[in-house]
Amino acid sequence: MAGGPVVGEDGLARTPWAYGDPLLLEYYDTEWGLPVRDESGLFERLSLEGFQAGLSWLTILKKRERFREVFAHFDVDTVAGYGDAEVAALLADPGIIRHRGKIEACIGNARAIIALRDSGGIAEFIWSFRPAQTPTPQTIAEVPTTSSESAALSKALKREGFRFVGPTTMYALMEAVGMVDTHLVGSHRRGASGLWSD
């Protein structure tokens, strides 16, 4: 089936985008689609999805370790304290995506996460938008890029002061942290989150 699961050299079937680079394969096999509920873990995913806007995910994966270094392993309190000097240093760092809007959004989003702590925290906030059902795509063409839930999450986050959290970016976040399962039917990772049964 065109656009369906692709069997790798190891005999395991995967969604086609998992191939092309060892970083993609490892990310697909060990991390993508598994539930993330801790604050720094969600801050990292939220930030990386924001930085990815307009770029390939592989570009982000190649720079991920440097992102972790310069953003204090996505410690929310540390990043929330960044000021002009840190922004200037980040803009000069070739190891990350040097986009002022995205860098400033990352810092602002850390501050917004802190503000959410009194009302349950970022994990409770994001996971409250988990849909009642997950897609069951058989081909890449059947994988959604947005949903009513990702649009609602985007709107709610923007109300709380978050930036670079559009509906498409939020759908990608929902896929990454297991809120929906868009591993193609037939992929060896389908159902890996443990949250859905087809």
Side-chain angles (χ1 to χ4, degrees):
M1 184 186 303
V6 174
V7 177
E9 292 176 3
D10 55 5
L12 297 175
R14 299 174 178 88
T15 301
W17 67 255
Y19 300 97
D21 189 280
L23 280 174
L24 286 172
L25 192 69
E26 182 184 7
Y27 177 67
Y28 182 85
D29 276 355
T30 65
E31 184 177 353
W32 188 69
L34 293 181
V36 177
R37 298 179 188 270
D38 64 293
E39 185 182 79
S40 65
L42 281 169
F43 178 42
E44 177 180 8
R45 303 318 191 283
L46 193 68
S47 301
L48 294 180
E49 294 294 349
F51 274 105
Q52 189 262 332
L55 302 168
S56 75
W57 184 242
L58 181 57
T59 297
I60 299 302
L61 285 181
K62 286 179 176 177
K63 295 176 179 287
R64 188 178 190 181
E65 287 309 313
R66 185 60 183 158
F67 271 116
R68 286 174 167 169
E69 290 169 11
V70 300
F71 284 108
H73 293 274
F74 292 94
D75 178 78
V76 171
D77 295 286
T78 301
V79 176
Y82 282 10
D84 293 343
E86 287 82 6
V87 170
L90 291 165
L91 284 169
D93 193 322
I96 65 165
I97 306 300
R98 293 180 286 181
H99 182 292
R100 180 181 289 275
K102 292 178 180 180
I103 290 168
E104 290 179 346
C106 185
I107 297 166
N109 290 350
R111 295 169 185 161
I113 288 172
I114 290 173
L116 282 175
R117 286 175 179 165
D118 290 340
S119 54
I122 188 65
E124 186 177 302
F125 190 94
I126 287 176
W127 277 87
S128 71
F129 290 87
R130 178 185 164 189
Q133 292 179 298
T134 189
T136 53
Q138 297 195 36
T139 67
I140 283 288
E142 293 175 9
V143 176
T145 55
T146 60
S147 67
S148 58
E149 292 86 5
S150 77
L153 173 58
S154 169
K155 194 172 179 181
L157 285 169
K158 287 175 181 176
R159 262 199 313 270
E160 298 295 330
F162 287 81
R163 289 183 290 159
F164 281 91
V165 290
T168 303
T169 300
M170 288 307 91
Y171 196 79
L173 176 76
M174 292 167 73
E175 292 176 291
V177 303
M179 288 172 68
V180 293
D181 184 350
T182 57
H183 289 286
L184 298 188
V185 173
S187 165
H188 84 104
R189 296 293 289 168
R190 181 82 193 167
S193 71
L195 301 178
W196 305 101
S197 56
D198 291 339

